[in-house]
Amino acid sequence: MNPTHTLSVHHGCVALVIMLSLSACGGGSKSSNPPTGPQPLKETIQALEDSGKIPKLDRSNDLLGPDANSNGVRDDIDAWIAAQPITEVQKKAAQQMAKVQQAKLMADLNDKTALQALGERSAAGVVCLGDVFMPDRQKGRDLRSQLEAMMANTEVRAKQYINYNRAVSGSTGRLPEGNTCEP
């Protein structure tokens, strides 16, 4: 890794996509007449979840969601990672990245030192995911994007994630070198 590379934080597009997807999931009032056209989005999502084509995600109003084992990752995300057809090393790297994403939802947006440290953890997670998927780093990037979207799957979570990105917008840092995967 070239030590002169920097990581610039700018996730406005991701945040916009999250907000647009959430507004599309708003549902609506149910009619007493059976639907004659396409299934409403909420029912389509439920059918896809029931079939296993998309993960069943916690949609509570709780910012963090349930974490029964207190490992820093929401239980539904834990289950999704465990079910992925990837190696144990890759799952561990995905857990590392999920912990960072969860921490972004809990971040004190006024504490610049803590935000910088979280940015460094995020960069380490990004590098780790890329490294464990070598030679196809793109698989690690894709997994990170999936985790990012799944972790911000409700309005309250998406808003917090957008606020986090606003707080760190324009910040820069060096990409870490060497093995950045947590032990």
Side-chain angles (χ1 to χ4, degrees), residues 9-11 112 115-116 119 163-172:
V9 179
H10 181 72
H11 292 100
K112 297 299 181 190
L115 291 175
Q116 180 65 33
N163 290 335
Y164 165 81
N165 281 303
R166 281 188 187 132
V168 298
S169 180
S171 62
T172 60

Side-chain angles (χ1 to χ4, degrees), residues 62-118:
D62 182 10
L63 183 62
L64 301 179
D67 181 12
N69 63 0
S70 299
N71 70 344
V73 179
R74 234 173 46 212
D75 295 337
D76 55 338
I77 303 299
D78 268 335
W80 181 81
I81 291 170
Q84 295 308 296
I86 56 179
T87 69
E88 288 306 312
V89 170
Q90 292 166 336
K91 287 178 184 183
K92 192 169 181 180
Q95 284 284 340
Q96 178 179 337
M97 195 72 241
K99 286 178 187 176
V100 171
Q101 291 303 119
Q102 187 82 359
K104 289 177 182 180
L105 295 177
M106 299 183 295
D108 177 351
L109 304 181
N110 296 310
D111 185 343
K112 297 299 181 190
T113 302
L115 291 175
Q116 180 65 33
L118 186 53

Side-chain angles (χ1 to χ4, degrees), residues 22 45-46 49 54-68 73-80 102 105 149-158:
L22 287 172
I45 291 171
Q46 185 66 49
E49 284 180 341
I54 64 172
K56 289 185 180 189
L57 297 177
D58 172 72
R59 289 188 178 79
S60 65
N61 287 328
D62 182 10
L63 183 62
L64 301 179
D67 181 12
V73 179
R74 234 173 46 212
D75 295 337
D76 55 338
I77 303 299
D78 268 335
W80 181 81
Q102 187 82 359
L105 295 177
M150 291 186 333
M151 300 285 291
N153 70 318
T154 66
E155 184 176 356
V156 69
R157 293 172 188 151

